[in-house]
Amino acid sequence: MVEKILSNLEKSNCSTDNIFLQAVSEVLTSLEPIVKTDSRYEQFAILERLVTPDRIIQFKVQWLDDNNQVHINNGYRIQFNNSLGPYKGGLRFHPSVTTGVLKFLAFEQIFKNSLTGLPIGGAKGGSDFDPKGKSDFEIMKFCHAFMRELHSYIGARVDVPAGDIGVGSREIGYLFGEYKHIPRNYDGVLSGKPYAFGGSLMRPQATGYGVVYFAREMLYQELQESFEGKVCTLSGAGNVALHTIEKLQQLGALVVTCSDSEGTIYDPSGINLILLKSLKDEGKRLSLEYYTDSIPTATYTKKCDYPEYAHPVWSYPCFAAFPCATQNELTVSDAKKLIENGCVAVIEGANMPTFPDAIALLQREGVLFAPGKASNAGGVAVSEFEMSQNASMEKWDFDKVDRKLDELMRQIYKRVSLTAKEYGVERNFVDGANIAAFKRVAEAMILEGV
Ligand code: NDP
């Protein structure tokens, strides 16, 4: 059954959708052993319906730069599945955005949101707009133009977008600023808003902190290990990476690498987070090259100095590795290096950063592997906490959100590891996550009817 669905999908999707097919293939392979256990899955065509988005919305975004030149970008929202609740998922602004990339992200989001146990469906959106090198005013004009097109498809009980690559609280602020003028209401229609008007404390930290809470629980339960005094490597230098580093350092780890789209830093004395934030935080996108101006003992490697499929950050000895930049950035050769160097765990901060053959190798060699749909679900969970606060007109303090996030990440770990055990694939957190998430969504789809 799974093979037939995959082959039909290949025929009906275009070649730019390969990344979507990669994500679907991983999930359906995990589900193969369980689809036969309940005849309703076939009767209600659950798998076929699950791999088909409810709708793909595409629109033109036209805007003026600071020299009054006209620019046109593609804007998208993919509403994939709302069986568990309103559509929920981030917006990505990056030149690599296509319907294929967003279909993969929206599909993954269904499973991630299901794993949180919260009432939220799966969606994703964005644009091929490149925020790099744009003035603050240009970012604002682009966000306003984007929202003029998007507003009629979203709503606090319909679809609640958040941030992702290239979209932080500044962009969400501008998007919300335009939204509230159009239907003239103050709905919590976006999450990740600045705290000054409806945002939740801890939303900026939530994904990175959540990744570390998940990792801490997994390492403690599986190996009785902690991060105290351990060397960790990491990719990325954006929202997820910065807050993963922050929490790892708070727990006593030494994080020695980070990267951006142009190069990588290796700092054996531990990444200086204040310096890194001064280069990268809140929409600043200065090159990592400048890091070595302040810390000459660190090494900067420019991207063109290494082949695409050998990422320097994964070549250093470490206890645990955290890919936090983007999809398909950790290859099978990187996995081999990590294994040779004694890495015991790979925890995904980004969405699907590890190639399927690299995952298989890590698992075969006994490295604990946490898939992003489980380990990075803290961001969307705190987004849902923001929706709850908006709906009840409340403001929760930092400690309350932090405690709830920590507890939720432990619950996700428990759900994933118990499911893996139940289905005879102990410590396979990929299968555990896919099966646990699927069962909750499938049950809702069956109960709601066709
Ligand atoms: P940011 O835009 O804040 O940072 C992204 C980082 O990755 C930057 O350092 C960027 O470098 C680098 N990067 C982006 N594209 C590439 C590329 N093609 N090759 C190499 N490096 C690249 O995004 P986030 O930190 O928010 O997101 C990172 C990942 O985490 C994504 O996979 C996202 O989907 C996922 N995620 C994010 C959540 C969130 O709450 N923000 C929630 C759950 C998952 P540069 O600065 O040079 O562009």
Side-chain angles (χ1 to χ4, degrees):
M1 173 153 73
V2 164
E3 234 168 68
K4 193 169 136 217
I5 294 171
L6 278 174
S7 137
N8 287 344
L9 261 193
E10 264 165 45
K11 280 184 216 141
S12 62
N13 284 270
C14 59
S15 57
T16 52
D17 287 355
N18 283 346
I19 184 109
F20 169 59
L21 297 174
Q22 179 185 329
V24 172
S25 166
E26 179 215 278
V27 170
L28 295 193
T29 308
S30 289
L31 298 181
E32 204 151 16
I34 78 147
V35 285
K36 290 265 178 285
T37 62
D38 189 333
S39 60
R40 297 175 309 159
Y41 296 153
E42 198 163 352
Q43 187 194 346
F44 285 86
I46 295 298
L47 292 188
E48 291 88 335
R49 287 164 59 208
L50 199 53
V51 300
T52 311
D54 288 350
R55 62 196 63 79
I56 297 181
I57 300 151
Q58 180 170 356
F59 44 89
K60 177 175 68 179
V61 187
Q62 40 193 9
W63 57 283
L64 292 174
D65 68 16
D66 290 343
N67 300 315
N68 284 332
Q69 295 291 309
V70 180
H71 294 267
I72 297 164
N73 287 98
N74 294 310
Y76 310 89
R77 186 71 180 162
I78 299 192
Q79 298 176 334
F80 218 115
N81 186 300
N82 65 351
S83 302
L84 293 177
Y87 299 107
K88 182 98 199 82
L91 297 172
R92 176 176 290 194
F93 292 169
H94 194 271
S96 63
V97 163
T98 59
T99 41
V101 168
L102 295 177
K103 270 160 72 179
F104 128 64
L105 289 165
F107 179 71
E108 288 284 292
Q109 196 80 40
I110 305 168
F111 294 84
K112 182 187 312 200
N113 294 1
S114 170
L115 283 174
T116 64
L118 300 168
I120 38 182
K124 203 83 187 185
S127 172
D128 53 9
F129 170 74
D130 187 357
K132 266 193 199 152
K134 304 292 186 301
S135 71
D136 197 47
F137 210 58
E138 288 171 334
I139 300 276
M140 183 187 79
K141 284 189 284 188
F142 176 80
C143 289
H144 285 179
F146 185 88
M147 184 50 83
R148 280 196 292 278
E149 298 303 322
L150 179 70
H151 75 92
S152 50
Y153 304 106
I154 60 175
R157 300 269 164 180
V158 181
D159 181 355
V160 184
D164 191 74
I165 290 181
V167 179
S169 64
R170 174 183 61 165
E171 289 74 18
I172 295 288
Y174 292 146
L175 290 162
F176 185 77
E178 183 67 12
Y179 176 83
K180 74 181 170 62
H181 287 303
I182 307 172
R184 292 201 178 279
N185 75 36
Y186 214 91
D187 272 349
V189 73
L190 291 153
S191 62
K193 297 182 288 296
Y195 183 65
F197 56 90
S200 174
L201 283 174
M202 258 212 77
R203 177 60 188 90
Q205 293 88 347
T207 307
Y209 280 22
V211 166
V212 182
Y213 292 152
F214 185 97
R216 179 176 63 180
E217 186 66 7
M218 178 178 79
L219 286 162
Y220 178 71
Q221 296 295 341
E222 303 295 332
L223 306 175
Q224 291 72 55
E225 285 279 12
S226 79
F227 282 114
E228 187 64 46
K230 303 288 193 328
V231 172
C232 295
T233 51
L234 172 145
S235 65
N239 172 281
V240 178
L242 291 174
H243 296 105
T244 300
I245 298 175
E246 187 163 87
K247 185 49 77 180
L248 283 170
Q249 290 182 344
Q250 286 171 12
L251 296 181
L254 186 75
V255 184
V256 294
T257 63
C258 63
S259 67
D260 65 12
S261 50
E262 286 162 16
T264 66
I265 285 290
Y266 171 61
D267 186 346
S269 56
I271 294 294
N272 181 323
L273 194 56
I274 296 174
L275 173 60
L276 186 62
K277 281 187 176 178
S278 74
L279 299 173
K280 293 291 188 184
D281 214 1
E282 283 302 312
K284 273 180 266 154
R285 291 184 175 266
L286 297 173
S287 168
L288 281 178
E289 219 169 342
Y290 296 114
Y291 186 95
T292 52
D293 289 351
S294 304
I295 305 190
T297 47
T299 311
Y300 176 73
T301 312
K302 213 171 159 51
K303 196 163 187 176
C304 57
D305 295 344
Y306 55 90
E308 198 178 340
Y309 290 110
H311 204 313
V313 296
W314 313 128
S315 66
Y316 299 103
C318 68
F319 168 74
F322 293 82
C324 294
T326 191
Q327 63 269 12
N328 285 346
E329 51 156 333
L330 197 158
T331 65
V332 74
S333 347
D334 296 325
K336 274 185 200 146
K337 267 262 165 258
L338 286 168
I339 293 162
E340 273 164 33
N341 284 330
C343 172
V344 304
V346 173
I347 303 98
E348 293 189 328
N351 285 311
M352 215 168 74
T354 317
F355 280 90
D357 52 355
I359 299 177
L361 179 66
L362 291 165
Q363 289 178 326
R364 246 192 342 266
E365 294 298 319
V367 176
L368 297 175
F369 177 80
K373 61 173 73 90
S375 47
N376 73 25
V380 75
V382 174
S383 276
E384 199 271 355
F385 299 167
E386 182 174 329
M387 289 162 71
S388 297
Q389 292 171 74
N390 292 164
S392 58
M393 306 289 264
E394 282 178 31
K395 285 273 193 197
W396 300 349
D397 64 33
F398 191 95
D399 286 346
K400 175 171 175 172
V401 184
D402 196 22
R403 269 197 316 277
K404 282 173 78 74
L405 172 66
D406 193 356
E407 178 54 29
L408 189 129
M409 296 312 296
R410 286 173 206 257
Q411 287 303 326
I412 295 178
Y413 164 75
K414 197 168 164 192
R415 211 165 277 147
V416 167
S417 77
L418 285 179
T419 307
K421 265 189 206 140
E422 186 186 337
Y423 286 88
V425 283
E426 193 164 355
R427 280 198 174 173
N428 184 332
F429 303 121
V430 174
D431 286 353
N434 287 333
I435 296 170
F438 167 79
K439 285 179 75 176
R440 186 166 173 242
V441 180
E443 198 57 31
M445 289 172 76
I446 291 165
L447 295 176
E448 287 167 13
V450 182

